[in-house]
Amino acid sequence: MKYLYYPGCSLHATAKEYDLSTRAVCAGLGLALEEVPDWNCCGASSAHATNHLLSLALPARVLGLAAGSGLDVVAPCAACYNRLRAAGRALCDPAEAPGIAEAAGLPRPTEAAGVRVLSVLELLVAQRDRWLARVRRPLGLKVAAYYGCLLVRPPGLLGFDAAEHPRSLDRLLEDLGATPVDWPGRIDCCGGGLSIARPDLVRELCGRLLGWAARAGAEVIATACPLCGLNLEMRRPPRAPALPVLYLTELVGLALDLPGAKGWGRYHLVSPAGVTRRAGGGA
């Protein structure tokens, strides 16, 4: 089974471990990934706040590059996924589509609008039968499932899971042998695009999230967003718990006991070494 792969800017840079683990998990499951040729930045997280047309034309161009392949696009980054889906919807709007198509150089905007975009979480849920029987080392960890702002919201755009009470990541973690904790921060914002402009606010938000997760008994936070992962590690206030933050594909790789899975931790700012040693019953 083959998919087009849109890594976006983060997975080629600050979220290298997300890229490596996504590729490894898909390869282990017999899911071939081919990068969208000549892809460009989707515009997250600043374009939508500065130029509406640009915020749609950038991801629309990516959809245009994928159009005609007959393949679904997998976008691991929650922000990229959200922007690609927003562009697809806008290309179906007769009022917006012509301007977007002209700006993005799309000769067939309707074809681009028809490209199906999946998050990695959606992909893994859809392919559950492929990986469930391959779990070799059930995690045995208490995990805070962190959906963040963009993975399941807004409901009119995404609709993959309940916008206010999502459970898909929690169920996936249970299948991996982890225990999802009940905590209030699962869909709260980490500060996103304010990381540079207002790091003080981001530290406050991230400290709150880390505190909630720790008080709920979590040993690790699971995310599907590179910006959330980076903020929770880099913008952690001095007194906040130093909880490791792992991408969901890293946790899948650990449970499937994929070669090199424990080595992905070297890319993290908060070392997950203790967690990865304990995962699967390790010493």
Side-chain angles (χ1 to χ4, degrees):
M1 188 172 293
K2 188 175 182 179
Y3 295 88
L4 285 181
Y5 180 55
Y6 179 68
C9 306
S10 295
L11 272 76
H12 275 194
T14 56
K16 186 68 175 178
E17 63 272 35
Y18 197 8
D19 179 63
L20 292 172
S21 57
T22 297
R23 291 179 186 272
V25 166
C26 287
L29 299 179
L31 305 174
L33 298 179
E34 177 185 326
E35 278 200 26
V36 176
D38 194 33
W39 60 265
N40 56 267
C41 175
C42 73
S45 58
S46 57
H48 72 280
T50 58
N51 187 309
H52 177 71
L53 177 60
L54 182 63
S55 74
L56 295 170
L58 286 168
R61 180 180 180 272
V62 176
L63 296 178
L65 294 170
S69 68
L71 301 175
D72 295 339
V73 174
V74 176
C77 171
C80 294
Y81 163 66
N82 195 289
R83 296 313 304 161
L84 288 170
R85 292 288 291 266
R89 182 174 67 177
L91 285 170
C92 295
D93 183 344
E96 289 202 280
I100 296 169
E102 181 180 2
L106 299 180
R108 296 180 297 276
T110 303
E111 188 176 0
V115 174
R116 186 181 182 214
V117 181
L118 302 172
S119 68
V120 165
L121 179 57
E122 281 182 280
L123 175 65
L124 290 172
V125 169
Q127 299 295 336
R128 181 174 182 267
D129 291 344
R130 280 181 180 258
W131 57 261
L132 186 59
R134 304 187 190 196
V135 173
R136 297 286 179 264
R137 298 175 64 84
L139 295 176
L141 299 169
K142 293 181 179 179
V143 185
Y146 183 45
Y147 299 82
C149 304
L150 301 174
L151 193 60
V152 295
R153 295 184 292 184
L157 176 64
L158 304 178
F160 165 69
D161 200 342
E164 298 300 322
H165 301 284
R167 287 288 302 163
S168 52
L169 180 53
D170 294 76
R171 288 191 290 267
L172 183 146
L173 292 169
E174 289 172 344
D175 286 339
L176 296 175
T179 301
V181 301
D182 184 17
W183 73 304
R186 62 183 59 241
I187 59 171
D188 274 35
C189 182
C190 72
L194 295 174
S195 185
I196 302 299
R198 292 295 306 271
D200 56 325
L201 292 180
V202 177
R203 281 192 292 271
E204 180 181 345
L205 292 171
C206 288
R208 183 185 305 165
L209 288 166
L210 290 163
W212 280 338
R215 286 192 291 275
E219 300 169 84
V220 61
I221 295 175
T223 185
C225 178
L227 190 53
C228 292
L230 185 64
N231 273 343
L232 288 169
E233 291 189 328
M234 186 172 71
R235 300 299 185 189
R236 178 178 63 86
R239 295 185 180 180
L243 278 180
V245 182
L246 292 176
Y247 295 106
L248 73 160
T249 45
E250 292 184 273
L251 291 166
V252 174
L254 287 169
L256 271 56
D257 201 21
L258 295 180
K262 293 188 177 182
W264 299 325
R266 70 181 183 273
Y267 294 99
H268 286 273
L269 298 176
V270 176
S271 174
V275 166
T276 57
R277 280 195 300 267
R278 294 195 301 277

